[in-house]
Amino acid sequence: MNNTTRQEKLDTDVLIVGAGPTGLTLSLVLQRAGVSSLILDKLETGQNTSRAAVIHAHTLEVLEPLGVTADLVRQGLRISRFTLRDRDDRLLGLDFEQLPSRFSHLLMLPQDVTEGVLREKLAAAGQRVRWGSRLEWLQQTDRGVDARVVSRAGVEVLRARYAVGADGMHSLVRQSAGIDFTGSSYADSFVLADVDMHWEHGREEVMLFFSPAGLLVVAPLPDGRFRLVATLDDAPDRPGLADVQALLDARGPTRGRARVSCVHWSSRFRLHHRVADRYRNGRLFLVGDAAHAHSPAGGQGMNTGLVDACVLGQLLADVLQGRRDVAQLDEYERLRRPAAEQVLGLANRLTSLAVVRGAARRMTRNSMLRVLGLLPPVRHRLQLQLSGIARRAASELPDAA
Ligand SMILES: Cc1cc2nc3c(=O)[nH]c(=O)nc-3n(C[C@H](O)[C@H](O)[C@H](O)COP(=O)(O)OP(=O)(O)OC[C@H]3O[C@@H](n4cnc5c(N)ncnc54)[C@H](O)[C@@H]3O)c2cc1C
């Protein structure tokens, strides 16, 4: 029979390119649904750097059926307060304990730990990542997708029914699908550092400081560390202790000591503000940073990708197992692209507010935020947006019928 012949010739139903947090999550969803998938990454092993450090309430909700949320919560640090400040002035405060969610907090956890939890779950479910395997070329055929993959073992062409680009900002899958990544790049870079420091302002709160010199975030991490994030025009590749201390001195609180004693990890990255014009072209799909890239203000990037992966995984499983018609694959873009646009808007507003220049404009901004901060509906809306709960509907597939 035609269908059987086709199945025999395919290596897998879903080829996932990229084993970052988004690809790992997608693989886990498919594995649990009983769909055959193959996940590969050009790296020799998973990345072990800190990068995205917050997991929001809505992400924890959508990851719960995969059995990873409890592990993440166990290893992370729960924080319930988020404040916007200008040096010593507290402009606006959010209390996440009021969130309408089982997870009424921000969960601070370095990205390498998050990826480790996902990889362990995947391995326990019997799925292995093919590390050291680089996608070189991809093409849709009338029966599926052909992908040329290079590894130490040589070159092979893998055949799949669908392929998903979880291959990050410079996605080859996106280019192969002929999908533009529309948007722009910010002039600033972001500096990130995980540090030990003497800090007299507690470990119960994430603080976002506005300053004419740029934004500074101070967030507690597990193991007594702090994550510092700052915008900087000409940031060094690997900011050192003196660079990080200078940022704290120039932008942080003037009262109370803030003295960095050790930089465990630091990095710099350029900011982009882009969304893929489409999330699907035929049998090719985009998830995570391959589909959207934006400022880390508000910590939304990885979170949005993880929700993308859960939605697309469920949809592909439903279609491949006959519960939905193939035409419903368009639901993925219909739900998730507007969610990314909302996230981009939020991250852009926070970044622009943070870097307002000129004393008069700063005073106006601060007064406006102080007034807005007194209004419960405004605070509530901002909490829902930051936690992702405002975008719950964008993760809910319509009934399969
Ligand atoms: C230095 C740095 C700091 C960051 N800090 C923050 C932060 O503070 N907050 C925040 O929200 N976000 C932050 N981010 C962004 C966050 O890390 C990303 O949103 C997240 O990693 C996206 O996950 P992903 O799985 O979509 O893509 P990625 O994590 O980029 O994973 C893509 C994977 O695809 C693989 N790949 C690419 N091309 C190919 C190919 N041709 N063949 C095979 N494999 C391929 C790559 O090796 C990689 O492992 C930061 C990113 C960086 C680089």
Side-chain angles (χ1 to χ4, degrees), residues 38-53:
L38 201 153
I39 175 166
L40 54 86
D41 200 294
K42 64 184 178 184
L43 298 175
E44 291 299 330
T45 174
Q47 293 199 50
N48 62 355
T49 55
S50 181
R51 294 164 292 147

Side-chain angles (χ1 to χ4, degrees), residues 17-24 40-43 47 49-54 111 115 131 133-136 166-172 192 227 229 265 267-269 287-290 292 294-296 298-303 305:
V17 184
T22 307
L24 291 169
L40 54 86
D41 200 294
K42 64 184 178 184
L43 298 175
Q47 293 199 50
T49 55
S50 181
R51 294 164 292 147
V54 59
Q111 187 172 329
E115 290 180 18
W131 296 107
S133 300
R134 181 166 52 84
L135 173 77
E136 206 183 56
D167 50 348
M169 229 191 65
H170 306 288
S171 169
L172 180 60
L192 299 153
R227 159 63 62 89
V229 184
W265 172 80
S267 184
R268 165 198 75 172
F269 77 110
V287 287
D289 278 18
H292 42 79
H294 46 83
S295 152
Q300 301 293 324
M302 182 185 75
N303 285 273

Side-chain angles (χ1 to χ4, degrees), residues 160-267:
R161 210 173 289 284
Y162 297 101
V164 181
D167 50 348
M169 229 191 65
H170 306 288
S171 169
L172 180 60
V173 176
R174 190 183 61 235
Q175 290 163 35
S176 307
I179 298 175
D180 285 337
F181 205 28
T182 302
S184 55
S185 302
Y186 291 81
D188 289 336
S189 317
F190 260 74
V191 165
L192 299 153
D194 289 0
V195 304
D196 287 335
M197 68 174 175
H198 180 87
W199 175 250
E200 294 185 351
H201 304 275
R203 290 181 49 79
E204 296 79 37
E205 191 171 320
V206 173
M207 299 182 184
L208 195 161
F209 293 91
F210 292 164
S211 141
L215 159 163
L216 171 72
V217 179
V218 180
L221 288 177
D223 300 333
R225 295 180 184 180
F226 287 87
R227 159 63 62 89
L228 305 181
V229 184
T231 44
L232 196 63
D233 282 348
D234 289 309
D237 273 3
R238 294 260 173 276
L241 197 147
D243 301 309
V244 176
Q245 185 65 54
L247 286 167
L248 260 174
D249 293 344
R251 305 178 185 188
T254 62
R255 290 190 217 120
R257 273 185 80 210
R259 190 63 43 204
V260 179
S261 54
C262 175
V263 176
H264 291 281
W265 172 80
S266 70
S267 184

Side-chain angles (χ1 to χ4, degrees), residues 20-23 25-26 29 52-63 111 114 118 164-166 181 274-276 279 286-313 332-333 335-348 384-392 394-396:
T22 307
T25 302
L26 176 63
V29 176
V54 59
I55 307 184
H56 288 294
H58 181 236
T59 315
L60 293 170
E61 290 174 355
V62 297
L63 292 177
Q111 187 172 329
T114 302
L118 291 166
V164 181
F181 205 28
R274 296 175 190 277
V275 189
Y279 273 27
L286 303 176
V287 287
D289 278 18
H292 42 79
H294 46 83
S295 152
Q300 301 293 324
M302 182 185 75
N303 285 273
T304 310
L306 297 182
V307 182
D308 291 345
C310 292
V311 173
L312 181 61
Y332 171 60
E333 175 176 319
L335 286 172
R336 298 306 301 160
R337 197 172 176 282
E341 285 186 323
Q342 282 175 31
V343 165
L344 252 79
L346 175 66
N348 202 27
L384 296 185
Q385 286 177 351
L386 283 168
S387 61
I389 287 171
R391 295 180 294 283
R392 262 188 193 144
S395 64
E396 287 163 4

